[in-house]
Amino acid sequence: MVRSTSIHWHGILQHRTPWADGVSFVTQCPIAPNDSFLYDFTVPDQAGTYWYHSHLSTQYCDGLRGPLIIYDPHDPYKKLYDVDDESTIITLADWYHEPAKKASVNGQPLSPYSTLINGKGRWKGSPANTSLAVVSVKKGLRYRFRIIGMSCDPNFTFSIDQHQMTIIEADGQYTSPLTVDQLQIFAGQRYSVVVNANQDVGNYWIRANPDPRGVPGFDGGRNSAIFRYHGAPHCDPKTNLTAKNPLKESNLHALYQPAAPGLPYMGGADIHLLLNISVNLTHTPFPNYLINNVTFVPPTIPALLQIMSGAQTAQDLLPQRSYYELPRNRVVELTIPGTPFEFGGPHPFHLHGHSFSVVRSGDSDQYNYINPVRRDVVNTGFVDGNTTIRFVTDSAGPWFFHWYVFELNLCYTGIHSERIKSY
């Protein structure tokens, strides 16, 4: 296991504190073993569901990850639920029975043995009495569950048997309420859902079925946890999967200031970037990914330190061709075509330092400039998909844009949200 580290506070915008973003080789050097680094930042204007994790190599896959919740004293949905505390946080992760660095063949991740829900899970061949996470509820109460996707590779389809979920938050951004009974959550994404404990007292399956990069299925209680009403027997549920109303991302809408930045039509941004994903299958010792024909190679000097040491333009920064210099206070539109499953699609992309409006979702051919969802992780869809996002360059810093897939051989694009000369 890698012993050096850095910690990224996922979803925290780090306005005026880009040095605390925690990205190894971009905003800092990794913290050496037996050394320390103080992350000292304020979050005056954010509330919601976030998480923290190592941002060095495969380290977060081995467990350096956890929830980070900022409660909102002015929550507009406070009257919709009765309970929102540590007991209503639900984390979803994949787990390998060996260190992540070894859990690969030719640089590609193997299938995880288990789905962990709040740190517990069963696997094929596990003892029948292997414990599962239990989410306890009382009949008649309403719960705000904060669901956090912490996986290294697969996405999960999440549901609670015989219960509906009303989504009120995506990635730290309030949404207009949307009721579903199933949602797909990608690595790095978060949702707050309100669930009414209005069914008969008993045990119900919580399901987090991975895509085929994991090991799908519910036999023996795999990919599951228990939703247990107070007074129910302590045993596995016997309920069946009943979901019929899955989330479609394009049906989510931002609650506040919902319009996407820029003008409400195609081409209505100041800057347009097309980011094409490709795979070099002939690269040795194993294939690697590229964005616009470039693979990010971590520099020996972090990008932020290069800037503070005198780099004047993106062309001055190493590695060359991995940075895009963006002027201050401009609307940027990023378009990312989808990727086939065999090449890792659909990829979940995360932008550091900003939230963005998803004007086109990866599974949709429609553009929405009026009230799209705003978030910080979006999936690009499969080969016939195309994701388009917009954001404003209103925070100076070298901000990483990357996808969450096992952190082995990922491609990244460094984005500077203001002119380098302004540092």
Side-chain angles (χ1 to χ4, degrees), residues 369-392:
Y369 305 99
I370 306 304
N371 59 353
V373 66
R374 192 163 49 245
R375 61 187 323 157
D376 59 52
V377 178
V378 68
N379 88 86
T380 59
F382 289 114
V383 66
D384 58 345
N386 186 312
T387 294
T388 303
I389 65 174
R390 284 187 183 179
F391 66 96
V392 178

Side-chain angles (χ1 to χ4, degrees), residues 347-370:
H347 293 299
F349 267 88
H350 172 46
L351 176 60
H352 290 231
H354 301 77
S355 293
F356 49 75
S357 295
V358 184
V359 298
R360 178 178 171 179
S361 295
D363 62 352
S364 174
D365 60 1
Q366 302 297 311
Y367 289 84
N368 178 6
Y369 305 99
I370 306 304

Side-chain angles (χ1 to χ4, degrees), residues 2-23:
V2 176
R3 295 187 61 224
S4 297
T5 194
S6 67
I7 305 298
H8 173 52
W9 315 95
H10 184 119
I12 303 302
L13 300 181
Q14 301 293 357
H15 186 61
R16 299 186 182 276
T17 52
W19 57 267
D21 199 37
V23 185

Side-chain angles (χ1 to χ4, degrees), residues 157-169:
T157 299
F158 180 89
S159 62
I160 304 172
D161 285 358
Q162 300 179 31
H163 291 77
Q164 293 188 325
M165 304 177 287
T166 299
I167 300 171
I168 59 172
E169 177 212 349

Side-chain angles (χ1 to χ4, degrees), residues 140-314:
L141 294 183
R142 302 162 302 168
Y143 294 80
R144 176 178 179 167
F145 291 108
R146 298 174 182 265
I147 308 164
I148 306 174
M150 296 183 176
S151 69
C152 294
D153 198 10
N155 62 73
F156 300 105
T157 299
F158 180 89
S159 62
I160 304 172
D161 285 358
Q162 300 179 31
H163 291 77
Q164 293 188 325
M165 304 177 287
T166 299
I167 300 171
I168 59 172
E169 177 212 349
D171 298 358
Q173 299 287 329
Y174 288 117
T175 67
S176 296
L178 178 67
T179 298
V180 301
D181 58 16
Q182 187 179 78
L183 60 84
Q184 188 177 25
I185 183 168
F186 289 80
Q189 291 186 331
R190 295 89 64 206
Y191 290 101
S192 279
V193 301
V194 175
V195 176
N196 191 346
N198 58 2
Q199 299 299 305
D200 293 338
V201 171
N203 296 295
Y204 299 81
W205 284 121
I206 298 173
R207 304 175 188 269
N209 206 28
D211 70 58
R213 278 177 284 266
V215 184
F218 304 110
D219 52 292
R222 294 187 306 109
N223 304 314
S224 302
I226 299 172
F227 192 76
R228 176 170 293 155
Y229 280 72
H230 181 72
H234 287 209
C235 61
D236 281 1
K238 300 185 184 300
T239 55
N240 297 314
L241 180 63
T242 56
K244 297 179 181 179
N245 182 30
L247 166 67
K248 186 175 177 63
E249 184 183 60
S250 56
N251 289 335
L252 281 175
H253 306 293
L255 179 65
Y256 296 130
Q257 299 178 326
L263 299 174
Y265 49 77
M266 293 182 66
D270 300 312
I271 299 167
H272 300 83
L273 296 175
L274 173 65
L275 303 181
N276 284 306
I277 304 170
S278 58
V279 183
N280 182 359
L281 298 175
T282 64
H283 183 269
T284 57
F286 41 75
N288 67 342
Y289 290 96
L290 305 92
I291 290 182
N292 290 353
N293 297 316
V294 177
T295 294
F296 182 85
V297 178
T300 55
I301 300 175
L304 183 58
L305 183 55
Q306 293 182 57
I307 294 168
M308 301 305 293
S309 298
Q312 296 294 303
T313 68

Side-chain angles (χ1 to χ4, degrees), residues 311-367:
Q312 296 294 303
T313 68
Q315 290 69 34
D316 295 333
L317 295 169
L318 299 175
Q320 292 183 343
R321 301 173 61 205
S322 289
Y323 302 88
Y324 290 82
E325 184 175 350
L326 303 176
R328 184 185 305 186
N329 295 325
R330 297 291 189 272
V331 176
V332 178
E333 183 172 284
L334 293 181
T335 299
I336 314 164
T339 310
F341 178 83
E342 57 269 26
F343 291 157
H347 293 299
F349 267 88
H350 172 46
L351 176 60
H352 290 231
H354 301 77
S355 293
F356 49 75
S357 295
V358 184
V359 298
R360 178 178 171 179
S361 295
D363 62 352
S364 174
D365 60 1
Q366 302 297 311
Y367 289 84

